Amino acid sequence: MGLLEFCKIIASEISNIENKITECQKFTAREMNEILQNARKENVQYFQSLSKIKKISAFDISFLLSSVKLDEKRVEIIKHAAEMYDEREFQGQGQTFSDFIFRVASNIELLSEQNLELFKDLAQNKNDVYDFSKILKNPAKYLEQNKTSELKFAFQRVFY
């Protein structure tokens, strides 16, 4: 092993230690203990991946790890959904990031990379509904209903 390879190994190990320190600083030791105690055993491995999400709180991670059956695909969907959340867009409806994460968790089985944008639109507009299973199973029907109701409203406004 040459000096250059040795330096690369040392640099990568230092980077890993810095990442772990950053994660530990995000949550207190008490919060981390609570999260890990309440988490499902099979979900503990996803703690590190979820804690890298910038806006996520200890409460959100605890909820996800304890109540949702996670796998790599679902964790990626949660990450992408968290990136899509824009506080300015949801502030008008009074939704917080935690509300959005709860909606993602309640619909995680039906979510995919393809329908995340539709889900975001639904979460913005349907403030009283948490379970979008009927709409996500048949999004074309929902989009068609939306278009026809908009047209009816437009014609009503013209004739009155």
Side-chain angles (χ1 to χ4, degrees), residues 7-125:
C7 291
K8 286 181 183 179
I9 292 171
I10 296 294
S12 70
E13 291 300 317
I14 290 173
S15 176
N16 288 340
I17 291 170
E18 287 176 351
N19 288 338
K20 288 181 181 180
I21 289 171
T22 304
E23 289 169 17
C24 291
Q25 289 176 347
K26 186 173 184 177
F27 306 116
T28 64
R30 182 173 167 239
E31 288 173 332
M32 287 178 60
N33 285 335
E34 276 185 45
I35 290 169
L36 296 175
Q37 284 177 352
N38 295 327
R40 292 179 175 184
K41 290 180 183 178
E42 64 270 10
N43 287 344
V44 171
Q45 62 185 335
Y46 303 111
F47 173 73
Q48 187 175 10
S49 299
L50 291 173
S51 66
K52 290 180 182 178
I53 299 173
K54 292 181 182 179
K55 302 172 193 171
I56 204 161
S57 68
F59 179 73
D60 298 334
I61 289 179
S62 179
F63 172 76
L64 289 170
L65 292 178
S66 64
S67 63
V68 179
K69 186 174 181 179
L70 296 174
D71 58 19
E72 289 294 328
K73 181 182 171 190
R74 290 181 177 177
V75 170
E76 288 301 315
I77 289 171
I78 292 169
K79 284 181 182 178
H80 286 100
E83 290 171 4
M84 292 174 66
Y85 178 82
D86 184 11
E87 198 166 323
R88 291 174 289 175
E89 293 176 359
F90 285 89
Q91 213 168 24
Q93 288 86 14
Q95 291 186 47
T96 63
F97 182 72
S98 291
D99 292 331
F100 185 70
I101 291 296
F102 289 172
R103 287 185 178 192
V104 169
S106 66
N107 295 289
I108 193 76
E109 293 188 18
L110 299 171
L111 288 176
S112 66
E113 297 293 330
Q114 292 77 27
N115 65 5
L116 268 178
E117 197 64 41
L118 173 65
F119 175 78
K120 179 185 172 192
D121 292 340
L122 289 171
Q124 283 178 315
N125 297 326

